[in-house]
Every structure is written in structure tokens, then in C-alpha cells.
Amino acid sequence: MRQTRGLLTCIIAGLFQMITGERSAGLEAKGVKNMPPKEENKKTPIWRSRKFVPVILQIIFLAIIGLLLWILIQNTMTGLRRIGMSFGFDFLNARAGFNINEAMIEYSTSDPYVRAIMVGIVSTLRVSFFGIILATIIGVLVGIAKMSDNWLLSKVASVYIDIFRNTPLLLQIFVLNFAVFLPLPRIQEALSIGPFYLSNRGAVIPWATLHEGSALWALLLLVVIGAAIWVYKWQMKREVEEGKNTHPFLSAIGTFILLCGAAYLVTGEGPFQLTIPAHTGAAVTGGLSLSTPFLSVLVALTIFTSTYIAEIVRGGVQAVPKGQVEATKALGFRSATAMRLVIFPQAIRIIIPQMTSQYLNLIKNSSLAMAVGYQEIVGVGNTVINQSGRTLEVIVIMIAVYLFFSLTTSLFMNIFNKKFQLVER
């Protein structure tokens, strides 16, 4: 038995050796036998790291920019010391001593320079704000008119765009100031167009003044506007679901008028007092007076910018897929209804980014107002430079003002653009 067990053990050991030998040979033939043992993961050198290298490059770039700025500042300060000047804003507290014709806030010659600069900032904001509103309205209307099926309307819009877009803005300001407004009659023979008066001094228009109940009316108007918006959305929803023309816009306007009338009956007075200009023979009293330089700048900025906005609107509308237009025709929409409900809302997504650029251009182009004597920030700043000799400080202030206006406008337009962006599901 022991001999038999020993023999079986030898046979099994031999078979096992044969099997393992063949497997080793097969692995050796495939090149597996000589494979090196697995090594531990080596750490990537820090100078080859994909996370570390970009950070280092950005730090180096910022360091170079900072060094260049430091060299520029040091050279500037050295140059100022050589001519016996120092950098600082203490001069802003000194007496201005010059007059500003069209100040929107209280100002006198005894006020400091900082007050004069504030007047210039408000004047820049004034012409830019109203210019953006008017240019947007006119630009949208002209852009849609250019695509009209009416041949005459389309050609008039095209001529308007071609003329005013291809002429310099400064030239348009000069033409409006010296060839349109200044040749008007004197104030004694001012032209009357209803409640509006035109003369070589500018225009006088009806204007609203606030009273004690204006604050209450502001709250009431918020409620009324909210109710009108709700009615518009409700009627729009009915129009979409029922397929009937419920006139949502007219319903909203009617709601606004009815609620305003009810508020007037309750309060017994309006939200403001309207002052109508009156010609006394030697002057025009009441209303709001707009100077000739302001009108020249405002009208030129409005016309010039509206031509670019018109082309932006046209391009945005034409970028809407033709299938959308054909769908509105198949559903029986009128052209105006299709434009208002289907086409233009889709075009806004394309229009807004380019409109932002035009708004920023309008704000910066308002600096040309000094050419006709409208005292905005650049005009006031030049006067301050001539009197104080602080060129660098005033230029820094002007740059900061335009930068603030531009960044604020971009912020609001980006928020508006984000609201209309398509959200992917």
C-alpha cells in the first residue's frame, strides 16, 4: 500500500509539473514571463502637473502686468515731481468759480470742483439715458419697417439707415446745432407747435412736477401695473388655449386706464402736476427748457445709434428659422400678430448682446457733446483741468465715470439677456 501511494504521488507530481511547465512556456512565448513586477504609482513632477502649470503661468502673467503698472506709476510720479507737481484729489474741495448753463442739480460758482464734476456726471447720465430709450424705440421701428412688404416704407427705412449710419456722428451734431436749431427764430418769435415752443435757445416742453401725494401714487401705480400685467398674461393664455383673438394688449391698457381713473377718484388728485409752457412775449415760462446743445447731442445720438439698432433688429428677425414664419402663416396669424407673439420674442435672444454694444457706444459717444458746448463730464472736466492744472487726476475721474456707466449697463443687459436665454433640458 505504501509503495502504491508513493507511486501515485510521483505520477500526480509529474503531471502537475508537466501542466505548469507548459503554461509557463506559453506565457514565456507571449512575453509574459519576463514582465517586470508592478511598481508603485509614481507622483508626477510638480513642473509637469496639468493643474499646477496653468496656475503658475497665470501667476507669472499677473506678476508681469503688475510690474508694468508699477513701472508706469513710478515713471508718472517721477515726472510729476520733476515739474513740481504731486498727485492727489485735494483740489476737488477748492472753489470752482465757473458757471454751468444747464445744471440738473443745484450748483453755483462758489461750489467746489467736486460739485461741478457731479453736475457733469448727471448731465452725461441724462443724455445717455434718454438717448438709449429713444434710439431703441426708433431703431426697432425702423428695423421692422425695412422688412415691410410696403415698398415705400421699406425704401424710406433703407434711405434713413444708409444716410445716418454712413456719416460721422460729430458731423451730425454740428449740422443739427448750427444748421437746424440755431437758425430757428429768437425767443421773442418762438415757434409754437401745440404746447411746445421752439427757438434758437432750444425747446420748451410740458413737464410734470411732483407734489405731496406723489409718493402714494407711486405705490398705487405699482399695484396698477401689476394688475395690468396679470390681465395681459391671462388674456394671452386664453388666446393660446382657445385660439381666439382676446386682445391682450388692449385689455391690459384698458385695465391700466380704469384703475388709474379709480385711483384719481379716490385720491382727488393726479400723480403729478403738469406745467404747460406759456409765451409772454419776451420769454417762455413754465414747462421744461431744453437747450440747443442738449437737443443737438440727444437727437444726433438717437438717430446715429438707431440706425445700427435697426440693422441689428433686422438681422435678428431674419435669423429666426423660416419654419416659424411658415407655421404662423399656416395657423392664420396676421403679420403683425406673428411678429409680436412668435418671431420677435425669438429674435430678442439674438438682438440683446449686440444691442448692449450699441448702448455702450452711445454712452461713450456722449463725450462728443463738448464740441457744441453741452457741459457733460468731459466738458466740465476740461474746464477743471484748465483752471486747476490737475490733468491726470481729472482724466482718471472721467475714465472711472465712463467705466462705471458702461459696467452698470452691461450688468443690467446681461441680467436681461440671461432671462431670455434658452435653457437646455
Side-chain angles (χ1 to χ4, degrees):
M1 290 293 294
R2 291 180 180 178
Q3 293 177 354
T4 305
R5 290 178 182 177
L7 181 61
L8 290 173
T9 302
C10 291
I11 295 172
I12 293 171
L15 292 173
F16 181 78
Q17 185 176 3
M18 291 176 61
I19 295 171
T20 54
E22 291 177 0
R23 183 175 295 177
S24 299
L27 292 173
E28 184 176 359
K30 294 180 180 180
V32 178
K33 183 177 180 180
N34 296 327
M35 286 181 63
K38 292 185 178 179
E39 299 180 0
E40 296 181 357
N41 293 332
K42 294 183 178 180
K43 293 184 179 180
T44 305
I46 194 170
W47 58 86
R48 296 175 59 187
S49 175
R50 294 183 178 180
K51 295 182 179 179
F52 181 77
V53 173
V55 175
I56 289 297
L57 292 177
Q58 293 178 30
I59 292 174
I60 294 173
F61 176 78
L62 292 177
I64 294 173
I65 296 298
L67 179 62
L68 293 176
L69 289 176
W70 182 81
I71 294 173
L72 178 62
I73 293 172
Q74 290 298 317
N75 289 340
T76 302
M77 301 304 294
T78 302
L80 290 175
R81 283 194 295 269
R82 286 179 180 175
I83 61 177
M85 296 181 63
S86 60
F87 183 84
F89 296 93
D90 297 338
F91 74 97
L92 293 176
N93 296 321
R95 181 176 178 272
F98 62 90
N99 188 33
I100 298 179
N101 296 327
E102 199 170 359
M104 294 298 297
I105 59 177
E106 293 184 4
Y107 171 79
S108 64
T109 56
S110 59
D111 287 330
Y113 285 127
V114 63
R115 186 70 175 180
I117 291 175
M118 286 300 300
V119 173
I121 293 174
V122 173
S123 297
T124 299
L125 180 61
R126 179 193 184 193
V127 71
S128 300
F129 177 76
F130 289 106
I132 287 174
I133 294 176
L134 295 175
T136 302
I137 296 173
I138 296 176
V140 171
L141 294 177
V142 173
I144 295 175
K146 188 174 181 180
M147 297 178 292
S148 174
D149 295 332
N150 188 309
W151 180 87
L152 179 60
L153 186 62
S154 176
K155 291 301 179 183
V156 169
S158 299
V159 171
Y160 172 87
I161 293 173
D162 291 339
I163 291 177
F164 292 107
R165 191 180 60 168
N166 296 308
T167 53
L169 175 58
L170 183 59
L171 180 61
Q172 294 182 28
I173 294 175
F174 283 149
V175 170
L176 288 169
N177 187 75
F178 298 109
V180 176
F181 291 112
L182 286 180
L184 290 173
R186 298 180 303 166
I187 189 67
Q188 292 80 3
E189 297 88 20
L191 296 175
S192 175
I193 305 175
F196 302 90
Y197 289 90
L198 296 175
S199 68
N200 57 3
R201 295 185 183 180
V204 183
I205 63 175
W207 197 245
T209 57
L210 303 180
H211 53 73
E212 296 179 354
S214 296
L216 176 61
W217 260 99
L219 297 176
L220 293 175
L221 285 176
L222 290 177
V223 176
V224 170
I225 293 172
I229 293 174
W230 181 84
V231 170
Y232 176 83
K233 291 183 177 180
W234 175 57
Q235 293 290 70
M236 180 65 67
K237 184 179 180 181
R238 285 186 55 206
E239 182 172 332
V240 173
E241 292 178 351
E242 300 176 6
K244 298 179 181 179
N245 191 358
T246 58
H247 304 287
F249 184 74
L250 294 178
S251 300
I253 294 296
T255 302
F256 181 83
I257 294 174
L258 288 176
L259 292 179
C260 285
Y264 178 79
L265 294 176
V266 173
T267 59
E269 58 184 358
F272 49 79
Q273 294 177 348
L274 187 64
T275 57
I276 306 298
H279 193 272
T280 60
V284 178
T285 59
L288 177 65
S289 179
L290 304 176
S291 67
T292 296
F294 173 76
L295 287 176
S296 302
V297 175
L298 178 62
V299 174
L301 285 174
T302 299
I303 293 175
F304 184 77
T305 308
S306 67
T307 58
Y308 287 91
I309 292 177
E311 287 296 287
I312 291 172
V313 170
R314 181 188 62 81
V317 170
Q318 292 181 345
V320 175
K322 293 183 178 180
Q324 299 290 320
V325 181
E326 295 173 356
T328 58
K329 293 180 179 178
L331 293 173
F333 281 90
R334 292 180 299 175
S335 298
T337 306
M339 178 65 70
R340 178 171 56 89
L341 299 179
V342 179
I343 301 172
F344 197 75
Q346 297 183 65
I348 288 179
R349 301 185 183 99
I350 306 171
I351 292 171
I352 290 176
Q354 301 177 64
M355 293 270 277
T356 303
S357 299
Q358 296 306 318
Y359 292 162
L360 299 181
N361 288 335
L362 188 147
I363 293 172
K364 290 177 285 189
N365 287 336
S366 65
S367 60
L368 297 174
M370 62 173 295
V372 291
Y374 180 66
Q375 293 173 299
E376 38 73 64
I377 182 62
V378 175
V380 173
N382 283 335
T383 305
V384 174
I385 289 173
N386 293 332
Q387 292 193 179
S388 65
R390 298 299 187 97
T391 305
L392 184 59
E393 291 89 338
V394 176
I395 289 177
V396 169
I397 293 174
M398 290 190 289
I399 291 174
V401 168
Y402 282 110
L403 187 63
F404 174 77
F405 284 163
S406 298
L407 292 178
T408 304
T409 304
S410 299
L411 175 63
F412 283 110
M413 291 302 295
N414 287 336
I415 294 173
F416 189 65
N417 184 33
K418 189 175 181 180
K419 182 179 179 181
F420 281 90
Q421 281 180 343
L422 288 175
V423 180
E424 296 183 0
R425 297 178 181 179

